[in-house]
Amino acid sequence: MAIEASSSRGGLQRLVRLRLRLTIWYVATFGLIIFLLGTGLFAVITYQISQQLDDSLKSATIELVRAARIRELEEAGARGRVIDAVDELNIPDRILYLLDLQGNPIKPSNPDNWVRQAARDAGRVGQVTRGYDLPEDKTLRLHAVRFKLASGHELVAVAVADQVELEDKYADLITAFVVIAFAALFLVAAGGFILVRKSTAPIERSIQYMRRFMADAAHELRTPITILRTRAEVALQQPREAANYVDALRGVEAEARRLGSIVDSLLVLARADTGERQIDKERIFLDDIAVDAAGAAEIVARQKGVQLTVDEFEETPIDGDPGLVRQLIMIVLDNAVKFTDAGGQVHVRVSMHGGVPTFVVEDTGVGIRQEEVSRVFQRFFRGDTARSRTDGAGLGLSIAGWIAREHDAEISLTSEAGKGTQVIITFPRVTTPV
């Protein structure tokens, strides 16, 4: 028992570790997807923002070129002091320069050397767009374009912007994405754990069920094994007469038979759980099987002084496995006879009740207490009355319930302590004519 409990605990611990690993893999996979998606989105948005900055610088140089041409026209036709269009041009967050092709300043008069170099480069190639890193960890973005005035004189228009606005957008984007990503990972971790827990719940139930099943089986098998060992030890303690040895062997044989019955029932249920028991359904007649089973049960009933009668007998076709259906009926009949005292009665009815194949067994036995009725189909369950009257293992009705489920039949039990029990089994209607 200690080994079984330790094994079950080990199984549950492995299940917990499995859940944790599955959750970690789930979060890691989702995290990788978020990372790849975020990297792609960041690259695309970065490019778009950078492109927008460059486009705004190009627009600024276009406005500067327009102002320079207006300035030329006003100077050519002016007769007094005029307002310089270049000086009046103001574009927020943009620094504007007007230079000649050699990088000499026109407006304003003190550009940096890197601005002059950009003007010379634009004078050669037409236009340039580049960044420039300042010593104080600032990055500027510049666009320079060569243009020609109406007089044929060529100049270079330069627009400069502090790239900090782009960096601020990057920072906001990264912050928002990181916050959302962590929130998503948290939700994924919580949701993943719940999903993993739900998906492994059947495994956990199976482990717990197996633990309970093994404990119950060990408990039921321990009693006959102990009796076998005790009888054998007593018989071997000292020489005895032959009759004593015969009595001892008879006791051993009875316990061996009981032990074999328990093992057979356990094998039936084990095969049922694993689906190894093949169900071969065919068209059979419930009335024929019931009468045959009632005849076999009547022999035992007569020995106990119990009267078993078939009160209703009607041709009742069903689709089922003949062997399993007979075993189902024999389990119900055997219980009825077993829990009915001498002088009691067991009534059997087979009919097409409302067109539904129905098998009913009703006895005048000891009955079952109401609080125990709902548990009679549980494995290894035996009520107080059953424990005192029989040496069964409490597996018969579990097997009956399994056979009924395999045949899509419904089995119901009603009972009253001291008055008797009624079991009703209804099978599905046959779908094709007999």
Side-chain angles (χ1 to χ4, degrees):
M1 292 290 288
I3 295 176
E4 293 167 1
S6 176
S7 176
S8 298
R9 285 195 297 271
L12 290 175
Q13 291 173 356
R14 287 192 294 271
L15 180 61
V16 171
R17 290 195 294 269
L18 173 63
R19 285 175 174 169
L20 182 60
R21 285 198 297 269
L22 287 175
T23 302
I24 292 174
W25 274 106
Y26 190 74
V27 173
T29 302
F30 192 79
L32 178 61
I33 293 173
I34 289 180
F35 175 77
L36 295 176
L37 179 61
T39 301
L41 287 175
F42 183 76
V44 171
I45 294 175
T46 298
Y47 172 78
Q48 291 178 344
I49 294 176
S50 178
Q51 192 66 38
Q52 289 176 1
L53 181 61
D54 289 345
D55 291 342
S56 70
L57 289 174
K58 291 177 182 179
S59 298
T61 56
I62 292 172
E63 293 297 324
L64 181 56
V65 168
R66 183 180 296 111
R69 287 172 177 166
I70 293 173
R71 175 175 176 270
E72 180 188 37
L73 290 174
E74 290 179 345
E75 286 181 347
R79 298 182 179 180
R81 184 177 178 277
V82 296
I83 299 175
D84 192 330
V86 174
D87 291 337
E88 291 295 314
L89 181 62
N90 181 29
I91 301 177
D93 299 323
R94 301 292 181 265
I95 304 174
L96 305 176
Y97 297 93
L98 197 60
L99 305 95
D100 62 18
L101 299 185
Q102 287 74 40
N104 299 316
I106 298 175
K107 295 284 184 176
S109 59
N110 58 343
D112 293 331
N113 290 330
W114 64 276
V115 176
R116 294 184 178 187
Q117 182 60 48
R120 287 191 289 269
D121 293 341
R124 289 193 307 271
V125 299
Q127 65 177 358
V128 294
T129 302
R130 64 180 58 157
Y132 182 76
D133 295 326
L134 296 178
E136 56 269 23
D137 294 332
K138 290 183 65 177
T139 301
L140 301 179
R141 191 75 173 168
L142 171 149
H143 179 71
V145 62
R146 185 182 64 198
F147 68 97
K148 184 183 292 186
L149 297 173
S151 62
H153 185 57
E154 290 188 314
L155 299 176
V156 176
V158 180
V160 179
D162 190 345
Q163 204 162 327
V164 68
E165 66 177 75
L166 182 62
E167 294 173 353
D168 289 343
K169 291 182 179 179
Y170 288 165
D172 293 341
L173 176 64
I174 292 172
T175 302
F177 186 81
V178 168
V179 171
I180 293 174
F182 274 109
L185 285 176
F186 175 77
L187 293 176
V188 166
F193 181 77
I194 293 173
L195 289 176
V196 168
R197 187 177 180 85
K198 286 185 176 294
S199 62
T200 57
I203 301 176
E204 182 178 10
R205 286 195 297 269
S206 297
I207 293 175
Q208 293 175 345
Y209 168 78
M210 183 174 293
R211 178 182 179 182
R212 185 169 60 251
F213 182 83
M214 292 175 65
D216 291 339
H219 176 75
E220 292 297 333
L221 293 172
R222 182 171 55 188
T223 300
I225 290 175
T226 301
I227 294 174
L228 283 173
R229 185 173 63 247
T230 302
R231 287 182 179 276
E233 289 174 352
V234 170
L236 295 173
Q237 282 179 355
Q238 58 186 3
R240 298 174 181 275
E241 296 180 359
N244 292 332
Y245 283 116
V246 170
D247 290 339
L249 288 175
R250 284 175 178 169
V252 169
E253 189 269 340
E255 290 303 323
R257 189 185 305 111
R258 177 170 178 255
L259 182 61
S261 175
I262 295 174
V263 172
D264 288 342
S265 297
L266 289 175
L267 286 175
V268 170
L269 292 173
R271 289 170 180 169
D273 290 339
T274 58
E276 293 181 6
R277 176 60 166 88
Q278 186 69 29
I279 310 297
D280 298 319
K281 293 184 179 181
E282 59 184 68
R283 179 58 50 80
I284 56 178
F285 289 89
L286 181 62
D287 51 303
D288 291 342
I289 295 177
V291 169
D292 177 67
E298 188 178 8
I299 298 174
V300 178
R302 190 182 304 118
Q303 293 175 349
K304 281 195 63 178
V306 175
Q307 182 182 0
L308 190 153
T309 58
V310 179
D311 296 340
E312 190 174 356
F313 179 76
E314 185 178 354
E315 187 176 87
T316 312
I318 63 171
D319 292 326
D321 186 306
L324 290 180
V325 172
R326 188 180 192 281
Q327 184 178 8
L328 168 62
I329 293 175
M330 282 301 303
I331 290 172
V332 176
L333 288 173
D334 180 66
N335 277 352
V337 173
K338 188 183 298 182
F339 294 105
T340 301
D341 293 328
Q345 297 180 351
V346 175
H347 300 276
V348 179
R349 296 194 296 273
V350 187
S351 64
M352 291 291 290
H353 185 70
V356 177
T358 304
F359 173 77
V360 180
V361 173
E362 189 171 0
D363 63 63
T364 59
V366 295
I368 305 170
R369 294 190 302 179
Q370 287 301 312
E371 59 269 23
E372 296 178 345
V373 170
S374 61
R375 301 178 59 193
V376 294
F377 292 99
Q378 296 178 5
R379 298 180 182 184
F380 298 104
F381 175 77
R382 288 188 295 166
D384 295 336
T385 303
R387 291 182 184 276
S388 62
R389 296 176 64 91
T390 68
D391 57 0
L395 295 174
L397 288 179
S398 297
I399 296 175
W402 166 69
I403 296 173
R405 288 192 300 272
E406 290 297 322
H407 288 78
D408 297 323
E410 292 185 5
I411 179 170
S412 61
L413 183 148
T414 57
S415 183
E416 186 175 351
K419 293 187 177 181
T421 301
Q422 182 186 65
V423 178
I424 301 176
I425 305 174
T426 56
F427 289 85
R429 302 169 187 260
V430 292
T431 54
T432 56
V434 180

